[in-house]
Amino acid sequence: MSEPEAIFDCRPNLLVNDLRASLEFYRSRLGFHVGWHWSDRQSRFLQADEPAEPGEPGTALVGRDQAQIILTQATGVHTTRLHLDVHTSAQVDQLFQEWADHGAVIAEPPTLRPWGMYEMRLHDPDGHVLRVSAPPAVTNS
């Protein structure tokens, strides 16, 4: 019997300027939940209902469906590109509508890209580019 693969998932770590603002964006605009939140200043995990002080440095894990992202407050310029795969183009459209309804600014609405994927792009408060894509819908001709 062979061993299971050692690496089975990827949780990107995005560096952010204001962890509290980023948590609010992912929670209220994109519908992610907070898995855990570490306070550097207090050297402990904060409880779910315990708000952090404004500007308090730390790290947190946010997740939605099967995706997880680690957010770490850091100073300086930093951007990352994150690719979120979804199963269908209808799901891309549903996320576009949900996120736009919650006030997220969509940089590029869903469209069929030259490389064959149906994709939209948005930016979080720190300029990270989030790409959401799926194979295009199959049409019967």
Side-chain angles (χ1 to χ4, degrees):
M1 181 177 218
S2 65
E3 290 289 316
E5 294 179 347
I7 299 173
F8 65 93
D9 201 359
C10 175
R11 281 184 246 169
N13 188 338
L14 303 180
L15 303 178
V16 301
N17 290 319
D18 183 336
L19 183 57
R20 188 173 177 174
S22 291
L23 287 173
E24 180 61 23
F25 173 82
Y26 280 92
R27 192 173 32 230
S28 68
R29 304 250 195 261
L30 303 186
F32 280 63
H33 68 274
V34 178
W36 50 261
H37 183 177
W38 174 263
S39 166
D40 287 350
R41 204 173 284 147
Q42 298 177 43
S43 295
R44 67 180 179 89
F45 288 101
L46 301 177
Q47 299 298 314
D49 59 350
E50 181 181 8
E53 294 297 318
E56 182 173 347
T59 300
L61 175 86
V62 295
R64 176 166 177 168
D65 303 324
Q66 297 297 313
Q68 295 182 334
I69 303 168
I70 297 170
L71 305 170
T72 301
Q73 185 167 314
T75 58
V77 176
H78 36 73
T79 60
T80 300
R81 292 183 178 262
L82 176 69
H83 191 108
L84 301 173
D85 290 312
V86 297
H87 297 285
T88 67
S89 58
Q91 290 172 321
V92 174
D93 290 333
Q94 290 165 353
L95 289 171
F96 167 75
Q97 190 62 55
E98 175 188 337
W99 293 350
D101 288 349
H102 285 99
V105 177
I106 307 299
E108 297 176 31
T111 189
L112 183 59
R113 303 295 176 177
W115 48 89
M117 295 297 283
Y118 187 70
E119 181 177 296
M120 73 169 167
R121 295 180 184 173
L122 65 141
H123 301 175
D124 77 1
D126 292 284
H128 301 296
V129 178
L130 305 179
R131 296 173 52 193
V132 181
S133 68
V138 176
T139 57
N140 296 327
S141 318

